[in-house]
Amino acid sequence: MEAGSSLHAVETVILLLLVLVAGFAAMARRLKVPYPIVLVLAGLLISFLPRMPHVPLDPDVVFVVFLPPLLYSSAWLMSWREFRRNAVVIGLLAFGLVGFTVWGVAFFSDHFITALDWKAGFLLGAVVATTDAIAATSIAKSIGLPRRIVDILEGESLLNDATGLLALEIGIGIIQGGQTPTLGGGLFRLLYLVFGGLLIGLLIGIIVGWLEKFIDDGPVELVVSLVVPYAAYLAGEHAKASGVLAVVACGIYMSRKSTEFFSPAVRLQVVGAWEALTFMLNGLVFVLIGLQLPYVLAGIHGRFSKGTLILYGVVFSVVLILLRIVWVIPVFKIAAYIDRRWMKHKEEELQPREVFVVGWTGMRGVLAARSRNLSSGDAR
C-alpha cells in the first residue's frame, strides 16, 4: 500500500508540474515574455504556497535525465558554418572569460566580502562562471535576438563546461588541502576534458551514423535519437572527460550527417517529437529551479540574515555582469582583428550595442546548479 501511495504521489507531482509548464508557458507567450523567466518566477511564488508538495531538485538526476537531450537538441540545431565563422570569439569567451570571471570573483571576495576569503571566492567564481546552454538558447531565441548573437551565445555556453569544470576541480583542491595544480598539470587536464569529450562524442556519432543507414522507421529512429545523447554523456563522464562536450560533438556530427540516413517522412516525425520533448524538459527544468528556493533558504538558515543574503545576491550579480562586459568589449575587437588578418573572414563587426547585448546576456542555469552541488558535496 505504501509503495502504491508513493507512486500516486509522484504521479500527482509530475502531473502538477506539467500543468504548470503548459499554463505558464501559454501565459508567457500571451504576455510576450520569455517563458523560462515566467516559469522560474512562477516556481518561486508557488514554492511558498501552503501544503505545496516538496519537489527536491537532485542535480545528479537533472544531469542524467534532463541535460543530455537538451544539449543534444541545441547542438543539433546549431549551424556548423556559423560556429566556424564565429570560432575565435566563441573560444575567447568559452575559455578566457571563465578564467577571468573566476579570478575576478576571488579578488572581489577577498577584498570586499568579510565572510569570504580568496579561496572561497575562487570556488564561488568557478560555480557561477559558466553560462548555461539551456537558458541561453531558450531566452535568446524567444526574445528575437539577431541570429549571429544567438550563435555566439549558444556556442559559448556549449563549450565553456570544460573550463568551468577545471576551475571547479582547482577550487575544491584549494579548499580541501591547499592543493594548487601546476600550469602544465592544469593545461593537460583542460586539454583532456575538451578533446577527450569531443573524441568520445564523435566516436559515438560515427558508430550510430553507420547503424542508422540500416534503419528507416520513424519510431525506431526516435528511440535511437533519444538513446544517443545519454550514451554520449555517460561515456564522457565515465572517462572523466567532459560529458557535455561529448553530447555537443555527437549532436553536431549527427545533425550534419542526418541528410544521409533520414528520409523526409522520418525527419518530420523525429523533429516534431523532439520539439515537444525539448519544450517539456525545458519547462520542467525552469519550474524546478524556481521551486528550490525554500530548500536553499533552509540550507543556510541561521548563517546569514535575509537582508545580507539579498545584498550578497545583488552585489555578486552586478560583479558578474561587470566582469563579463569588461571582458567582452575588447575581446570582440581582438576577434575581429584575428578574423580579418589571419582567418581571412570578411564579416562585419558587431555594432557596440550588439556587443553590449552579448555582454549583458550571460545567463546561468542548470550548469551552475550542478557545480554548486558538486562543490558543496566535495567540500564536506
Side-chain angles (χ1 to χ4, degrees), residues 40-64:
V40 171
L41 293 176
L44 288 172
L45 295 175
I46 293 171
S47 66
F48 290 103
L49 293 178
R51 304 186 67 179
M52 176 66 190
H54 287 183
V55 189
L57 182 61
D58 187 340
D60 293 330
V61 173
V62 170
F63 266 69
V64 172

Side-chain angles (χ1 to χ4, degrees), residues 227-243:
V227 171
V228 169
Y230 292 108
Y233 180 79
L234 293 174
E237 292 292 301
H238 183 72
K240 304 299 183 183
S242 172

Side-chain angles (χ1 to χ4, degrees), residues 91-294:
L92 290 172
L93 293 175
F95 300 109
L97 179 56
V98 172
F100 181 70
T101 301
V102 171
W103 284 110
V105 172
F107 176 85
F108 181 82
S109 301
D110 189 43
H111 288 78
F112 300 101
I113 305 296
T114 56
L116 299 175
D117 58 9
W118 76 270
K119 296 178 182 179
F122 188 98
L123 186 59
L124 175 62
V127 171
V128 300
T130 56
T131 55
D132 186 80
I134 300 172
T137 303
S138 300
I139 296 179
K141 289 181 179 179
S142 64
I143 61 178
L145 290 180
R147 183 67 241 183
R148 190 180 178 193
I149 293 179
V150 175
D151 290 333
I152 292 172
L153 292 173
E154 194 170 31
E156 174 201 0
S157 59
L158 287 172
L159 291 185
N160 61 17
D161 173 72
T163 321
L165 186 57
L166 175 63
L168 186 65
E169 291 178 357
I170 294 173
I172 292 172
I174 293 173
I175 290 288
Q176 288 183 332
Q179 302 174 352
T180 304
T182 62
L183 178 61
L187 181 61
F188 176 80
R189 177 60 178 151
L190 178 61
L191 292 175
Y192 179 76
L193 285 168
V194 174
F195 290 102
L198 294 177
L199 288 174
I200 289 171
L202 287 175
L203 179 60
I204 292 176
I206 291 171
I207 294 172
V208 175
W210 178 77
L211 292 174
E212 288 274 16
K213 295 179 181 180
F214 304 98
I215 306 171
D216 189 27
D217 183 271
V220 176
E221 295 272 21
L222 178 59
V223 172
V224 172
S225 70
L226 286 173
V227 171
V228 169
Y230 292 108
Y233 180 79
L234 293 174
E237 292 292 301
H238 183 72
K240 304 299 183 183
S242 172
V244 169
L245 290 183
V247 176
V248 171
C250 187
I252 293 175
Y253 178 85
M254 294 295 291
S255 176
R256 287 177 58 80
K257 294 294 183 180
S258 63
T259 55
E260 299 178 9
F261 51 76
F262 272 1
S263 65
V266 168
R267 177 180 291 275
L268 287 175
Q269 293 181 58
V270 173
V271 170
W274 267 94
E275 285 181 355
L277 177 66
T278 53
F279 170 76
M280 182 182 69
L281 293 179
N282 258 322
L284 286 174
V285 166
F286 287 112
V287 169
L288 287 171
I289 289 175
L291 290 172
Q292 299 315 296
L293 184 58

